[in-house]
């Protein structure tokens, strides 16, 4: 083997082992554990979330086919009804009128026919005029081949779409045209091209180590034919799971666009979930409907250094277009970061994160994300802080709320950037390395400053979410780093020989593209017992961490603002709200 090739294989092995975002290849079946059921009474409440989407027990992964139908929101998700590790996967189904309270229905799709007898994996829903919503999903056959199937509601007059039928003329797409039958899954929502009368959808795949999104076309939504070219592919990115492809408006800063939008002033987004790294990345680009080609703009890397919806624990995400409110809404899954053994003991694993709206940033070069406004209806008691100046080493407690379950939104003013450290260009695509080097306690010029969440009063345990401002030597412009650091989050050990026995306590990081002309930068964190979802600069950079404190739990958790930079930083305004539990969260789910 030549040296570069050997180096590449070595890199892959290292990446598979250490950079898989804490997920130990979850398609791996833990035979002894996958059907080890937990009685409801034995589910551990300690780190369960209060206002995030969860069933009462057992394992969940990808959000599937979110949609709005006759005024009712639907969320399907990959679910193991028998245990707290991946396996026995069905499409669990929940409905909601407000995206906050969820009612569990019977699983919509589960293995029962030759075309899905070994698995009903992820997929999407499309509203097909005259037919209603049609689900496309991946079925696993007896010989473990991945094929694409469709399912339709039994009764279109039922807004809850309780029963789904899998017609016998399935599958609609098989890997019989050179595709890799063990890496061929997760069909997207389809879009319709008025000009040629064809529906189109994508299926994620790989060839050798090239990630691919194949495109299929259909006139009647039944007979699908592969397009000559995949919509996109990229070398050295491995399997592309859960692709998502949708337009965003360049001019409308409030509304999202439907999947089939084909007018002026739009860009397209192609997002893929990388099985090798367990991260996602997206590109913005132009989709030429005539030539059927998608070309990334090229401002950002088209590989695993690319832009992310979320730089933390976030995977298998999926959007839908809410035509009642004209929003494009994103759902994403966060797996557990503790051990498989712990998951089994606590009896549950995985949450869906708070849905987020997606818009194009005014720069046109990235997206911005914000928690759906419905979540604000859960806000209870509010405390505030204004014009609080923090000198180097100072921290102030946010008192009067229950910090294990809050929504906190703070605007900092950094004043002058004179003291900002010089940015070392060799870190330009390595925010994580920079965060690992310059943690929340490493004094700087401007920053680190931010929030200390889920903390004990003496900081024996804490999860800091913070910014550090550098200055680019050539342009003199600020380069802002955002970190969410789980390393000090728990006294539980993160060492051990076997990955399954180790708690995963990673630091996560991304750069935030802001000019800081007025010195202001905002940070909002949704804190919910074992999850911290943080939105930097109004959602330009988002990071989610899963953490499992042993002492900073429930009433014993604290919240602080802090500054460890030599430049004083002012908390211009801070609002923190206790968050209430929704009345309905899938009680009674099977
Ligand atoms: N999860 C599903 C697959 C998908 C993966 C199986 C992504 O369809 O590729 O549970 O998390």
């Amino acid at each position: 083997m030549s040296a570069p090739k050997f180096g590449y294989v070595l890199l892959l092995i290292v990446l598979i082992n250490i950079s898989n975002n804490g997920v130990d290849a979850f398609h791996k079946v833990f035979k002894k554990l996958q059907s080890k059921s937990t009685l409801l009474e034995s589910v551990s409440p300690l780190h369960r979330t209060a206002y995030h989407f969860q069933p009462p027990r057992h394992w969940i992964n990808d959000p599937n086919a979110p949609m709005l139908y006759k005024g009712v929101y639907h969320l399907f998700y990959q679910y193991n009804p028998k245990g707290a590790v991946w396996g026995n996967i069905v499409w669990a189904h929940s409905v909601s009128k407000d995206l906050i309270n969820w009612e569990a229905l019977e699983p919509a799709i589960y293995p029962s026919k030759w075309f899905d007898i070994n698995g009903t994996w992820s997929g999407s829903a499309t509203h097909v005029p005259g037919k209603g919503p049609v689900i496309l999903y991946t079925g696993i056959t007896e010989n473990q081949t991945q094929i694409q199937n469709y399912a339709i509601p039994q009764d279109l007059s039922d807004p809850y779409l309780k029963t789904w039928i899998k017609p016998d003329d399935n599958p609609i797409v098989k890997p019989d045209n050179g595709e890799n039958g063990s890496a061929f899954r997760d069909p997207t929502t389809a879009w319709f091209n008025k000009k040629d009368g064809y529906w189109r959808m994508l299926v994620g795949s790989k060839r050798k180590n090239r990630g691919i999104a194949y495109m299929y076309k259909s006139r009647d939504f039944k007979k699908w034919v592969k397009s000559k070219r995949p919509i996109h592919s990229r070398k050295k990115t491995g399997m592309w799971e859960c692709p998502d492809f949708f337009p965003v408006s360049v001019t409308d800063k409030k509304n999202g666009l439907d999947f089939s939008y084909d007018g002026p002033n739009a860009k397209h987004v192609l997002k893929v979930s990388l099985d090798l790294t367990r991260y996602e990345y997206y590109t913005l680009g132009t989709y030429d409907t005539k030539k059927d080609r998608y070309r990334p703009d090229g401002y950002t890397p088209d590989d695993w250094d690319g832009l992310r919806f979320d730089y933390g624990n976030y995977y298998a995400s999926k959007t839908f277009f809410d035509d009642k409110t004209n929003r494009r809404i994103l759902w994403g899954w966060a797996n557990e970061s503790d051990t498989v053994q712990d998951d089994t003991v606590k009896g549950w694993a995985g949450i869906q994160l708070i849905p987020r709206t997606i818009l194009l940033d005014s720069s046109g070069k990235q997206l911005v994300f914000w928690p759906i406004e419905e979540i604000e209806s859960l806000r209870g008691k509010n405390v505030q802080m204004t014009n609080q100046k923090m000198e180097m080493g100072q921290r102030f407690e946010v008192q009067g709320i229950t910090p294990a379950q809050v929504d906190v939104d703070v605007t900092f003013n950094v004043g002058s950037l004179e003291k900002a450290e010089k940015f070392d260009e060799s870190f330009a695509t390595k925010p994580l390395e920079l965060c690992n080097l310059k943690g929340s306690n490493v004094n700087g010029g401007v920053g680190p400053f931010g929030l200390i969440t889920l903390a004990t009063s003496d900081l024996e345990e804490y999860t800091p979410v913070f910014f550090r401002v550098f200055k680019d030597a050539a342009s003199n412009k600020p380069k802002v780093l955002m970190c969410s650091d789980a390393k000090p989050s728990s006294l539980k050990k993160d060492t051990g020989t076997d990955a399954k026995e180790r708690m995963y306590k990673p630091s996560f990081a991304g750069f935030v593209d802001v000019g800081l002309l007025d010195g202001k930068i905002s940070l909002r964190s949704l804190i919910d017992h074992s999850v911290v979802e943080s939105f930097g600069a109004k959602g330009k950079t988002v990071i989610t961490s899963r953490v499992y404190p042993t002492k900073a739990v429930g009433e014993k958790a604290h919240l602080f603002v802090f500054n460890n930079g030599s430049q004083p930083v002012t908390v211009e305004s801070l609002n923190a709200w206790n968050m209430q539990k929704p009345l309905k969260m899938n009680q009674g789910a099977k």
Side-chain angles (χ1 to χ4, degrees):
M1 193 184 289
S2 65
K5 247 196 180 161
F6 175 73
Y8 180 60
V9 169
L10 200 68
L11 173 74
L12 267 184
I13 294 171
V14 171
L15 276 165
I16 290 166
N17 281 316
I18 60 165
S19 291
N20 62 347
N21 206 2
V23 182
D24 190 24
F26 70 88
H27 286 162
K28 178 165 151 191
V29 181
F30 295 96
K31 271 225 161 91
K32 287 201 187 115
L33 300 177
Q34 70 167 354
S35 300
K36 198 173 177 304
S37 181
T38 310
L39 292 175
L40 263 185
E41 310 83 80
S42 336
V43 167
S44 163
L46 184 65
H47 292 119
R48 272 184 78 77
T49 59
Y51 59 94
H52 280 74
F53 182 102
Q54 280 191 281
R57 57 183 176 156
H58 294 156
W59 165 279
I60 72 170
N61 57 289
D62 320 1
N64 290 152
M67 66 167 136
L68 176 67
Y69 183 68
K70 289 190 190 287
V72 176
Y73 291 102
H74 293 251
L75 182 66
F76 305 82
Y77 57 98
Q78 298 272 289
Y79 177 55
N80 179 355
K82 295 187 182 156
V85 301
W86 186 85
N88 309 309
I89 292 296
V90 302
W91 275 52
H93 182 191
S94 293
V95 287
S96 170
K97 295 224 165 110
D98 56 9
L99 287 167
I100 300 292
N101 290 282
W102 290 93
E103 194 184 318
L105 304 178
E106 291 289 322
I109 303 175
Y110 44 87
S112 67
K113 303 231 174 168
W114 74 266
F115 50 78
D116 63 11
I117 199 66
N118 269 324
T120 50
W121 289 12
S122 289
S124 315
T126 308
H127 291 285
V128 184
K131 287 192 179 184
V134 179
I135 283 177
L136 302 181
Y137 72 99
T138 299
I140 314 294
T141 64
E142 192 160 24
N143 68 4
Q144 303 296 342
T145 303
Q146 300 175 9
I147 57 180
Q148 318 314 323
N149 300 319
Y150 77 103
I152 47 174
Q154 188 179 56
D155 177 7
L156 283 176
S157 69
D158 170 18
Y160 294 102
L161 301 170
K162 282 196 199 94
T163 312
W164 288 77
I165 299 168
K166 303 180 295 189
D168 283 333
D169 55 357
N170 269 306
I172 49 158
V173 170
K174 288 188 287 184
D176 50 11
N177 212 344
E179 304 83 8
N180 175 347
S182 53
F184 183 58
R185 55 184 182 269
D186 308 337
T188 63
T189 298
W191 66 96
F192 185 68
N193 184 331
K194 271 194 263 160
K195 288 175 201 138
D196 64 11
Y198 277 95
W199 287 95
R200 284 166 172 77
M201 58 101 171
L202 309 178
V203 178
S205 189
K206 69 167 177 180
R207 196 184 311 121
K208 294 201 174 132
N209 203 34
R210 173 177 279 273
I212 304 177
Y214 290 116
M215 182 155 57
Y216 289 82
K217 296 197 323 192
S218 173
R219 274 196 191 279
D220 59 3
F221 225 83
K222 274 196 179 167
K223 188 172 177 286
W224 291 85
V225 177
K226 191 163 106 174
S227 297
K228 253 195 247 132
R229 279 186 232 100
I231 193 139
H232 196 48
S233 73
R234 188 69 186 164
K235 61 185 180 192
K236 296 183 186 170
T237 50
M239 172 65 193
W240 282 4
E241 296 188 314
C242 303
D244 201 14
F245 187 60
F246 56 87
V248 284
S249 174
V250 174
T251 43
D252 188 338
K253 297 292 168 223
K254 275 201 186 129
N255 297 304
L257 296 174
D258 182 40
F259 284 98
S260 299
Y261 177 85
D262 186 20
N265 302 321
K267 270 189 188 303
H268 266 76
V269 178
L270 177 64
K271 182 277 308 183
V272 294
S273 307
L274 299 176
D275 197 20
L276 271 183
T277 64
R278 310 307 295 175
Y279 288 119
E280 307 190 315
Y281 84 92
Y282 72 90
T283 49
L284 281 163
T286 309
Y287 175 47
D288 180 336
T289 45
K290 268 203 209 121
K291 293 193 187 133
D292 227 1
R293 292 204 98 161
Y294 170 73
R295 258 186 225 291
D297 286 345
Y299 295 124
T300 56
D302 183 8
D303 56 33
W304 58 38
D305 283 334
L307 293 173
R308 297 189 199 161
F309 288 177
D310 186 310
Y311 289 79
N313 184 334
Y314 199 80
Y315 199 68
S317 69
K318 176 134 304 186
T319 65
F320 75 104
F321 181 64
D322 176 344
D323 60 1
K324 189 172 77 180
T325 58
N326 285 332
R327 290 175 297 179
R328 178 154 297 273
I329 297 180
L330 168 71
W331 280 93
W333 161 61
N335 69 307
E336 300 306 302
S337 300
D338 57 359
T339 63
V340 171
Q341 278 79 357
D342 285 346
D343 292 350
T344 320
V345 171
K346 66 184 199 267
W348 61 274
I351 58 173
Q352 306 297 355
L353 294 165
I354 300 300
R356 302 165 182 175
T357 53
I358 293 189
L359 289 169
L360 185 67
D361 181 53
S362 50
S363 66
K365 293 184 180 163
Q366 68 159 97
L367 299 171
V368 281
F369 309 88
W370 200 243
I372 50 162
E373 64 187 23
E374 284 86 340
I375 199 72
E376 294 166 26
S377 67
L378 292 175
R379 286 173 172 173
K381 185 178 178 200
N382 165 248
V383 294
Q384 299 182 341
M385 204 183 261
T386 41
N387 290 327
Q388 178 72 62
K389 190 169 174 193
M390 298 185 291
E391 301 289 342
M392 171 138 126
Q394 274 192 315
R395 71 166 189 268
F396 295 98
E397 179 155 14
V398 181
Q399 284 172 325
I401 42 154
T402 313
Q405 201 175 306
V406 293
D407 177 355
V408 52
D409 196 358
V410 49
T411 300
F412 299 98
N413 197 321
V414 300
S416 149
L417 295 186
E418 234 165 78
K419 292 185 182 153
E421 298 153 85
K422 238 201 229 139
F423 185 68
D424 176 348
E425 265 304 315
S426 64
F427 288 103
T429 56
K430 301 188 182 103
L432 190 51
E433 286 183 22
L434 204 50
C435 266
N436 280 328
L437 217 61
K438 297 193 178 245
S440 62
N441 290 321
V442 179
N443 294 150
V446 182
F449 63 91
L451 291 168
I452 298 178
T453 72
L454 294 172
T456 52
S457 54
D458 57 0
L459 300 196
E460 222 185 332
E461 292 184 324
Y462 63 105
T463 301
V465 186
F466 55 98
F467 300 115
R468 194 177 189 109
V469 183
F470 298 85
K471 230 183 330 188
D472 186 79
S475 65
N476 225 16
K477 285 200 180 125
K479 183 89 184 167
V480 180
L481 179 70
M482 174 173 162
C483 312
S484 177
D485 187 2
K487 283 204 267 344
S489 62
S490 173
L491 291 172
K492 266 181 88 173
K493 295 222 160 36
D494 58 359
T495 51
T497 42
D498 188 336
K500 292 199 293 298
E501 286 159 13
R502 279 199 302 264
M503 176 176 272
Y504 179 55
K505 296 195 279 185
S507 182
F508 290 124
F511 289 111
V512 197
D513 187 17
V514 280
L516 284 179
L517 291 179
D518 55 2
K520 290 186 197 186
I521 186 160
S522 68
L523 176 62
R524 178 173 176 197
S525 291
L526 299 172
I527 303 166
D528 196 0
H529 299 273
S530 60
V531 61
V532 183
E533 287 184 68
S534 300
F535 299 78
K538 296 270 172 271
K540 281 186 181 244
T541 302
V542 187
I543 309 182
T544 296
S545 290
R546 295 299 311 277
V547 291
Y548 309 88
T550 61
K551 295 186 171 176
V553 291
E555 302 287 324
K556 287 185 240 141
H558 296 258
L559 174 68
F560 302 92
V561 279
F562 80 101
N563 176 26
N564 277 333
S566 56
Q567 166 74 28
V569 170
T570 303
V571 173
E572 278 206 352
S573 67
L574 178 147
N575 267 289
W577 294 266
N578 276 344
M579 291 296 274
Q580 293 152 23
K581 224 178 163 145
L583 293 174
K584 291 193 207 158
M585 187 45 81
N586 296 316
Q587 287 93 339
K590 295 263 171 67

